Every structure is written in structure tokens, then in C-alpha cells.
């Protein structure tokens, strides 16, 4: 007997799918879990994304879905052959999160886009924390920064924690990994860098086109990158005691980008 899936109501679909739970094989679990590591993501050109919001954003973009795993009926528009309803225990085995969401998707890593030396560009020198990189990409999405240039030491864009923290902005910002020193030396744009001893960013006449460099969480901008920077800027402290050592790099990025866009 042949059933026409489209003829069922949403409630009936839910009841049917609720009891058709696919078993995830040990090999599948091993493979998906292997994508938690950068070397395996590169080898297979695949990455994982978790949570309804993130997956929705990626499905609306040019990212190509490899397969979707859910613990309940979700994403009606996804073709049935690309979706499996699995148990919560199986989802926990393949999730990169301590507390898994109700869905995980495997996407293909897209081909790298070319770098255009124009507009306002953010350059990241050795950002190591996945949450910081993800938040910075959300900020770039908010402030209309189309390109982010990362040093080769910066945390991988497709790290599951980075993908999670972007909340979908990963699909709207072009991120490139390059030899940052070489890139800056060959750019015709003015290069700004953030330092504790720079000039007050609130008093600067900031251009619409420039490269803004943000440094490592612990050490700031490295010496070799510092040599390529033409203008040193800082976010001044206003507290009476002046004891705070530094700002979180994502918070600092928000302030700097806001000033460049103001």
C-alpha cells in the first residue's frame, strides 16, 4: 500500500514520525563524532551544526545539507531521505554539546570565496576561543562587515562551538584563513590595530574603508602583525580606579565596529 505523505495533517505526521525512530549505527556515530575534530572536518569537507535556530539559518543559505538528525518531527521542508528521527540517547552520542539540543545537522563545507580588498574588513590575529570567534561573526553580520580575515592560528570556523555561537551568521560573513602578515603587507587599505596605548577611538576620524585588526585574547596583537599596522587605536577606560586590564575581545570588537560605522 502506498501512502501520500503530503496528504497527512501535521498532527498525523507527528504521530507517525514519533514512532518511526531510526537507529544510528556505530559507524555513523563514530563518523559524525569524528567531525568534532578539525582534521576530520577538513578530510571529509563536512561540519556539524546543532539547534533549530542555527540549522534553520543554514538551510536558508547556500550551505548544502548532508543529513539531519532530530529527536522529534522538525523541518518539514527537508526531504525525507535527508532526515532521520533518532533517540535522545543517540543524539547525545553524536552531539558536541554537554546538553544536546533536539537536532543536529551535517553540512558540506563550502568552497572558499575570494577576498576583495575593499570596504571595512576585520582581521583576527590568533583568536583562540570558539565562543569569541562565533560572537565576533555575529557582530560582523550585525554591522555589515562582509569579510573577516583570520590568521592561520585562529580557531577553526567550523569548530562546533564556533558554529553554535554564530547563531547562523556563519552563512552571511565571508571568512578566509591566510598568512595574515603577508595579507596586510600587500593590502592598499589603511590598517588600524587595537592597543592599550593607542589614540582614543572616540576622537579619531575613521574611514569607511579600512582593515581593523583585533588581537589574541591573552597577548593582543603579535609583534609581526604590529609592524604592519599604520594607526594604533584604543578604547579608553572611564572608571575612576582605572584597574581593569583589558576588555574581552568580542566586547572590544563590538565597540570598535560601532565607532567605524557611526
Amino acid at each position: 500500500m502506498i501512502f501520500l505523505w503530503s496528504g497527512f495533517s501535521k498532527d498525523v505526521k507527528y504521530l507517525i514520525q514519533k514512532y518511526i525512530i531510526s537507529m544510528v549505527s556505530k559507524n555513523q556515530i563514530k563518523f559524525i563524532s569524528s567531525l568534532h575534530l578539525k582534521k576530520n572536518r577538513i578530510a571529509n569537507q563536512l561540519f556539524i551544526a546543532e539547534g533549530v535556530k542555527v540549522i534553520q539559518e543554514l538551510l536558508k543559505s547556500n550551505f548544502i545539507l548532508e543529513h539531519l538528525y532530530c529527536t522529534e518531527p522538525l523541518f518539514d521542508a527537508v526531504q525525507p531521505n535527508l532526515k532521520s528521527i533518532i533517540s535522545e540517547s543517540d543524539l547525545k552520542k553524536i552531539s558536541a554539546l554537554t546538553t544536546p539540543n533536539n537536532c543536529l545537522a551535517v553540512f558540506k563545507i563550502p568552497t572558499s570565496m575570494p577576498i576583495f580588498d575593499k570596504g571595512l574588513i576585520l582581521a583576527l590575529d590568533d583568536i583562540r576561543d570558539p565562543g569569541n570567534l562565533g560572537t565576533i561573526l555575529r557582530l560582523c553580520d550585525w554591522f555589515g562587515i562582509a569579510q573577516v580575515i583570520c590568521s592561520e592560528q585562529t580557531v577553526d570556523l567550523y569548530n562546533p562551538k564556533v558554529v553554535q555561537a554564530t547563531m547562523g551568521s556563519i552563512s552571511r560573513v565571508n571568512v578566509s584563513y591566510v598568512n595574515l602578515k603577508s595579507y596586510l603587507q600587500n593590502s592598499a587599505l589603511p590598517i588600524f590595530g587595537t592597543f592599550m596605548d593607542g589614540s582614543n577611538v572616540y576622537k579619531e576620524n575613521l574611514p569607511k574603508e579600512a582593515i581593523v585588526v583585533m588581537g589574541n585574547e591573552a597577548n593582543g596583537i603579535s609583534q609581526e602583525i604590529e609592524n604592519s599596522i599604520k594607526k594604533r587605536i584604543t578604547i579608553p577606560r572611564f572608571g575612576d580606579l582605572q584597574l581593569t586590564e583589558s576588555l574581552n575581545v568580542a566586547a572590544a570588537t563590538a565597540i570598535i565596529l560601532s565607532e567605524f560605522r557611526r
Side-chain angles (χ1 to χ4, degrees):
M1 185 178 294
I2 299 175
F3 293 95
L4 293 178
W5 183 253
S6 60
F8 292 114
S9 68
K10 187 174 182 179
D11 290 339
V12 172
K13 286 180 182 178
Y14 178 84
L15 289 172
I16 293 173
Q17 288 186 318
K18 184 177 180 180
Y19 295 103
I20 304 178
I21 297 179
S22 300
M23 294 295 292
V24 184
S25 70
K26 289 183 179 179
N27 285 339
Q28 284 178 301
I29 291 171
K30 183 177 179 181
F31 176 73
I32 297 169
S33 298
S34 76
L35 300 177
H36 297 180
L37 299 178
K38 180 180 178 179
K39 65 177 183 179
N40 296 321
R41 293 193 293 271
I42 293 173
N44 295 285
Q45 287 298 289
L46 296 170
F47 72 98
I48 64 173
E50 300 190 59
V52 173
K53 170 64 176 174
V54 177
I55 294 173
Q56 278 179 338
E57 293 294 318
L58 295 182
L59 289 174
K60 291 189 294 185
S61 72
N62 294 326
F63 281 77
I64 298 174
L65 176 67
E66 183 77 7
H67 204 83
L68 175 64
Y69 301 90
C70 304
T71 59
E72 57 186 285
L74 295 167
F75 306 103
D76 288 343
V78 174
Q79 298 175 23
N81 63 307
L82 294 178
K83 180 168 60 173
S84 298
I85 305 298
I86 65 174
S87 67
E88 291 183 5
S89 61
D90 277 346
L91 181 64
K92 189 170 184 177
K93 291 174 185 176
I94 60 177
S95 174
L97 302 175
T98 304
T99 305
N101 281 286
N102 53 359
C103 51
L104 178 150
V106 178
F107 286 93
K108 294 182 179 179
I109 294 177
T111 304
S112 298
M113 299 290 287
I115 299 172
F116 297 100
D117 204 33
K118 63 180 181 180
L120 187 59
I121 298 172
L122 185 67
L124 303 179
D125 180 20
D126 195 19
I127 299 299
R128 294 299 180 94
D129 184 84
N132 281 336
L133 179 57
T135 301
I136 287 170
L137 294 184
R138 288 185 69 187
L139 290 167
C140 288
D141 192 13
W142 181 269
F143 286 106
I145 309 299
Q147 295 188 100
V148 174
I149 309 298
C150 295
S151 68
E152 292 163 334
Q153 296 75 33
T154 293
V155 61
D156 180 33
L157 173 64
Y158 297 105
N159 178 302
K161 293 181 180 179
V162 174
V163 176
Q164 183 77 12
T166 69
M167 294 302 289
S169 291
I170 189 174
S171 66
R172 293 183 290 272
V173 180
N174 182 32
V175 180
S176 301
Y177 286 77
V178 301
N179 181 312
L180 189 55
K181 178 182 177 181
S182 177
Y183 168 75
L184 295 176
Q185 289 176 340
N186 289 287
S187 175
L189 293 173
I191 302 170
F192 289 73
T194 51
F195 297 89
M196 293 299 291
D197 62 350
S199 59
N200 187 337
V201 69
Y202 300 128
K203 297 180 179 180
E204 285 293 317
N205 184 18
L206 302 173
K208 291 184 177 179
E209 291 197 322
I211 297 172
V212 182
V213 182
M214 304 299 295
N216 173 268
E217 292 89 342
N219 304 310
I221 294 172
S222 62
Q223 183 64 55
E224 69 170 3
I225 299 302
E226 181 178 350
N227 294 334
S228 299
I229 290 170
K230 307 299 190 295
K231 183 67 178 179
R232 300 165 71 96
I233 54 176
T234 194
I235 302 165
R237 290 179 291 187
F238 292 95
D240 292 335
L241 298 179
Q242 302 283 298
L243 295 178
T244 306
E245 290 186 2
S246 63
L247 283 173
N248 168 273
V249 66
T253 300
I255 296 168
I256 293 294
L257 292 183
S258 179
E259 281 303 300
F260 268 88
R261 289 305 198 200
R262 190 159 63 93

